[in-house]
Amino acid sequence: LPIGAYTLTFTRVGSEPVARQIVVGPGSNITANVTLQPRAGIKVVVCLDNGVTTEAQCLAGGAGVSYKVGYQVRIWKETSYPAGALLGAGLTAADGSYSFLSLDAPLRYVIEVAATPGDPATTSKTVSLPASTTATVAILAP
């Protein structure tokens, strides 16, 4: 490289970019160490919609909260919902949760919940996902 100042930018889909400034001098041998933040993800917690439990209570847990176990959770990019490519699906665990990891961000996603795999959705939610974050969202389902 010619002598001078440079900006190195490191990027990965789903993570915040990191920039480093370096100065190259005669005979320079420079190492630029960077750590990228983790890729984005969404943790979904599904609770019984009993008309009393709120989304905040669903996330906090405790007395009166009933988690939906074995419900199917599905995810699409908002721009391809509902007819486009399904990005993933899984079943909620004993705590009503399922996580989607290594997602592109920043981006908006649509999450659907179905009582039985392959059944029509009982409810859905749109989530805005910033880069390098794991969003935790509650969905109340019948």
Side-chain angles (χ1 to χ4, degrees):
L1 291 172
I3 295 171
Y6 294 88
T7 300
L8 300 176
T9 303
F10 301 85
T11 61
R12 175 179 61 199
V13 174
S15 296
E16 288 287 336
V18 175
R20 293 284 186 265
Q21 304 242 339
I22 62 166
V23 176
V24 175
S28 292
N29 184 6
I30 299 171
T31 301
N33 292 318
V34 299
T35 301
L36 293 173
Q37 294 296 315
R39 293 193 65 197
I42 298 174
K43 178 181 179 183
V44 180
V45 181
V46 183
C47 294
L48 173 65
D49 186 358
N50 58 12
V52 177
T53 301
T54 66
E55 289 182 357
Q57 291 169 322
C58 178
L59 292 177
V65 175
S66 295
Y67 296 110
K68 292 298 197 169
V69 179
Y71 270 45
Q72 186 179 48
V73 182
R74 305 181 282 244
I75 188 169
W76 287 263
K77 290 181 181 177
E78 183 183 48
T79 55
S80 63
Y81 180 78
L86 176 68
L87 296 179
L91 301 178
T92 56
D95 64 355
S97 73
Y98 186 81
S99 294
F100 298 100
L101 305 174
S102 296
L103 297 174
D104 294 348
L107 205 61
R108 289 174 56 89
Y109 290 91
V110 175
I111 310 287
E112 277 189 353
V113 175
T116 306
D119 279 359
T122 58
T123 189
S124 66
K125 184 177 225 173
T126 301
V127 178
S128 293
L129 183 62
S132 299
T133 61
T134 298
T136 303
V137 298
I139 296 181
L140 302 177

